[in-house]
């Protein structure tokens, strides 16, 4: 696939030469004109230049250096197809083209079809010459743009009387535009002169890449990941698949733009006070020169971390569509557990509200209805404590929800005191999981409060049973989870865990 040829500062030049620019007649150059390193410009006036004329100055030298980089870029781009030497009367789609003869002629109309893509790029490569006749013409259709057409010429280019060329000629040696030739692009010569005669040369509109950081929603708190977004556009159209790096937090964060040109990441700030967020495009597969473009800085204010902290714990085991997933969060006030606080977990099909235990741990069960990326958040909705906990939310915990893969069911279970000799565990529960259809010899791992309590193997009926010893903290859990691997796919099931009656 052809990619945009970088011209750097040479992009503003309608005409650029090495040794001389010579003009006859009323040539009009809509753009800059320059020569470097030791050339001369003659014929202006009567010719006119709407931009700036640079003669052997630093700007022209920089433009020549940038032109060399662009020429090399075009030279090494892989060829899409080899086409006949004569381009007139043909229609081509975006790509990189050469000819078997190593030269191109244009006598007639060459149609370039962008197929509706305004960023489509066309590159024509010759080992020697490009020669257009009086009837030579380039026509652009379906959003093709002169700014995205490039002619890499191995020696010299000659434009016939009254011909019309679209795109930028990057010639290794020289360029001659005969009487009345029109160029919607640029005439850029690396090694020698450019000769003009009553021509019109118009620099095409430059591709404009824009990166804009969006306002941050909600407070930015020390130590808590803050979602940040940026929109990347090329001439107003979204750039998808671009690599964007967010800066301003404790560490840079990379992200990739989606189909709408939006990149999203999470920055963490370690210090309270004023700060800024910027986004830089580090790579973009587009016709727009986006790489290296930096957004304007977005000022933000980072607030100190509240004395009340809510942290969602990592989920143990797979999360499967339609199966309850045990989730837990720890609520602390100045580092001490908050007891009896109401915590609402969100992210699943419906919110779930539970209460923190003596350790400040709230444990609930969320069910997810769709596979893919998701997040879990815990918010304190009420807390009988001196800490200002109500309304405090955790950072979102990203998870991946797997599609439902197989029927593993867990039976309701209860725990009881392990009498007469509570060794090695003070409490015990019988945990049961059933695989349907029945399959013997499958190992099932049982979890309580997110921790494994043992394994059992299914019998001929597909049933795995474990007499699990539980600690005093584990009996506070309201559910347990069974996890197995069947046919290389992990399945799980969850059911209730309550006190037996009587509990002995």
């Amino acid at each position: 696939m052809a990619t945009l040829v970088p011209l750097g500062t040479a992009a503003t030049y309608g005409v650029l030469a090495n040794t001389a620019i010579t003009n006859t007649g009323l040539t009009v150059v809509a753009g800059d004109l320059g020569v470097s390193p030791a050339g001369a410009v003659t014929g202006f006036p009567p010719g006119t230049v709407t931009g700036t004329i640079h003669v052997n100055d630093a700007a022209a030298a920089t433009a020549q250096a940038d032109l060399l980089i662009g020429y090399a870029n075009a030279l090494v781009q892989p060829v899409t197809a080899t086409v006949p030497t004569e381009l007139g009367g043909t229609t081509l789609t975006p790509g990189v083209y050469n000819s078997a003869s190593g030269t191109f002629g244009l006598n007639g109309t060459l149609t370039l079809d962008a197929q509706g893509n305004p960023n489509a790029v066309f590159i024509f490569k010759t080992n020697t010459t490009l020669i257009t006749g009086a009837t030579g013409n380039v026509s652009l259709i379906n959003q093709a743009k002169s700014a995205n057409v490039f002619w890499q010429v191995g020696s010299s280019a000659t434009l016939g009387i009254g011909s019309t060329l679209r795109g930028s000629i990057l010639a290794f040696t020289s360029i001659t535009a005969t009487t009345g030739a029109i160029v919607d692009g640029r005439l850029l010569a690396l090694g020698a002169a450019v000769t003009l005669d009553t021509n019109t040369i118009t620099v095409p509109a430059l591709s404009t890449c824009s990166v804009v950081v969006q306002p941050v929603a909600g407070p930015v708190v020390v130590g808590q990941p803050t979602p940040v977004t940026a929109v990347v556009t090329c001439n107003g159209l979204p750039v998808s698949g671009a690599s964007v790096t967010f800066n301003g937090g404790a560490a840079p964060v990379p992200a990739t733009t989606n189909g709408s040109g939006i990149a999203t990441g999470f920055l963490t700030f370690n210090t309270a006070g004023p700060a800024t967020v910027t986004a830089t495009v580090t790579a973009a597969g587009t016709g727009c020169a986006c790489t290296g473009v930096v957004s304007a800085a977005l000022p933000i204010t980072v607030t100190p971390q509240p004395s009340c902290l809510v942290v969602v714990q990592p989920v143990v085991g797979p999360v499967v569509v339609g199966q309850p997933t045990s989730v837990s969060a720890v609520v602390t006030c100045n580092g001490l557990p908050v007891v009896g606080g109401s915590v609402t977990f969100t992210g699943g099909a419906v919110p779930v509200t539970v209460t923190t235990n003596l350790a400040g741990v709230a444990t609930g069960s969320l069910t997810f209805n769709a596979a893919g990326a998701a997040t879990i958040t815990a918010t304190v909705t009420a807390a009988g404590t001196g800490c200002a906990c109500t309304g405090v939310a955790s950072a979102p915990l990203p998870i991946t929800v797997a599609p439902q893969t197989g029927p593993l069911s867990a039976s309701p279970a209860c725990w009881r005191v392990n009498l007469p000799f509570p060794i090695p565990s003070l409490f015990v529960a019988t945990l049961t999981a059933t695989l349907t259809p029945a399959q013997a010899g499958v190992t099932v791992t049982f979890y309580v409060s997110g921790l494994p309590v043992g394994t059992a193997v299914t019998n001929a009926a597909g049933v795995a049973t474990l007499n699990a010893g539980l600690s005093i903290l584990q009996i506070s859990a309201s559910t347990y989870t069974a996890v197995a691997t069947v046919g290389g796919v992990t399945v799980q099931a969850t059911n209730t865990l309550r006190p037996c009656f009587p509990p002995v």
Side-chain angles (χ1 to χ4, degrees), residues 201 398 493:
I201 302 158

Side-chain angles (χ1 to χ4, degrees), residues 278-296:
T278 60
T280 303
V281 179
T282 55
T286 173
C288 214
C290 277
T291 301
V293 175
V294 183
S295 71

Side-chain angles (χ1 to χ4, degrees), residues 13-93:
Y13 286 75
V15 181
L16 181 63
N18 180 292
T19 59
I21 297 175
T22 303
N23 172 60
T24 301
L26 301 177
T27 291
V28 177
V29 178
D32 294 334
L33 180 145
V35 63
S36 178
V41 174
T42 58
F44 293 90
T48 58
V49 177
T50 64
T52 303
I53 297 177
H54 297 276
V55 180
N56 304 322
D57 61 8
T62 300
Q64 275 286 357
D66 290 344
L67 172 58
L68 180 60
I69 294 172
Y71 183 91
N73 177 278
L75 185 66
V76 301
Q77 291 206 33
V79 172
T80 302
T82 298
V83 296
T85 298
E86 175 54 48
L87 295 173
T90 62
T91 298
L92 296 175
T93 54

Side-chain angles (χ1 to χ4, degrees), residues 11-451:
T12 66
Y13 286 75
V15 181
L16 181 63
N18 180 292
T19 59
I21 297 175
T22 303
N23 172 60
T24 301
L26 301 177
T27 291
V28 177
V29 178
D32 294 334
L33 180 145
V35 63
S36 178
V41 174
T42 58
F44 293 90
T48 58
V49 177
T50 64
T52 303
I53 297 177
H54 297 276
V55 180
N56 304 322
D57 61 8
T62 300
Q64 275 286 357
D66 290 344
L67 172 58
L68 180 60
I69 294 172
Y71 183 91
N73 177 278
L75 185 66
V76 301
Q77 291 206 33
V79 172
T80 302
T82 298
V83 296
T85 298
E86 175 54 48
L87 295 173
T90 62
T91 298
L92 296 175
T93 54
V96 181
Y97 299 96
N98 67 0
S99 70
S101 66
T103 184
F104 276 126
L106 180 59
N107 297 278
T109 299
L110 166 64
T111 301
L112 302 183
D113 182 359
Q115 300 178 316
N117 179 8
N119 295 323
V121 176
F122 302 81
I123 298 176
F124 296 88
K125 301 167 60 166
T126 76
N127 293 332
T128 55
T129 61
L130 166 67
I131 301 174
T132 72
T135 58
N137 177 53
V138 178
S139 174
L140 306 178
I141 63 173
N142 294 328
Q143 300 193 55
K145 296 179 179 179
S146 296
N148 296 341
V149 181
F150 300 90
W151 303 84
Q152 177 262 310
V153 179
S155 59
S156 298
T158 302
L159 305 183
I161 295 173
S163 62
T164 299
L165 186 89
R166 301 184 191 279
S168 298
I169 296 178
L170 285 62
F172 189 75
T173 307
S174 63
I175 303 171
T176 300
T178 58
T179 306
I182 297 172
V183 179
D184 181 14
R186 307 173 181 88
L187 302 180
L188 310 175
L190 272 170
V194 175
T195 303
L196 308 171
D197 184 358
T198 317
N199 308 119
T200 300
I201 302 158
T202 305
V203 175
L206 300 179
S207 296
T208 302
C209 185
S210 173
V211 186
V212 180
V213 178
Q214 303 300 290
V216 174
V220 182
V221 181
V222 168
Q224 295 187 8
T226 298
V228 289
T229 60
V231 179
V232 182
T233 56
C234 175
N235 294 328
L237 299 176
V239 177
S240 62
S243 297
V244 175
T245 299
F246 292 98
N247 292 285
V253 173
T256 303
T257 57
N258 60 17
S260 299
I262 299 173
T264 302
F266 289 86
L267 284 178
T268 300
F269 300 86
N270 292 341
T271 306
T276 59
V277 177
T278 60
T280 303
V281 179
T282 55
T286 173
C288 214
C290 277
T291 301
V293 175
V294 183
S295 71
L298 175 73
I300 60 171
T301 300
V302 183
T303 59
Q305 193 174 61
S307 55
C308 183
L309 182 64
V310 185
V311 179
V312 178
Q313 303 301 290
V315 174
V316 176
V319 181
V320 180
V321 168
Q323 296 185 8
T325 297
S326 180
V327 292
S328 63
V330 180
V331 183
T332 56
C333 174
N334 296 324
L336 300 176
V338 174
V339 181
S342 295
V343 176
T344 298
F345 291 97
T346 56
V350 294
V352 173
T353 301
V354 291
T355 303
T356 56
N357 60 16
L358 294 175
V361 177
T363 301
S365 179
L366 287 177
T367 301
F368 299 85
N369 292 341
T375 58
I376 298 171
T377 304
T379 303
V380 179
T381 54
T385 172
C387 217
C389 277
T390 302
V392 174
S394 70
L397 174 72
I399 61 169
T400 300
V401 182
Q404 196 169 31
T405 56
L408 181 70
S409 60
S411 301
C414 65
W415 57 265
R416 60 187 180 276
V417 179
N418 190 13
L419 295 177
F421 300 105
I423 298 176
S425 300
L426 181 59
F427 306 92
V428 67
T430 301
L431 310 179
T432 307
T434 304
L435 192 63
T436 306
Q439 182 177 341
V442 175
T443 300
V444 178
T445 302
F446 294 87
Y447 295 84
V448 177
S449 292
L451 299 175

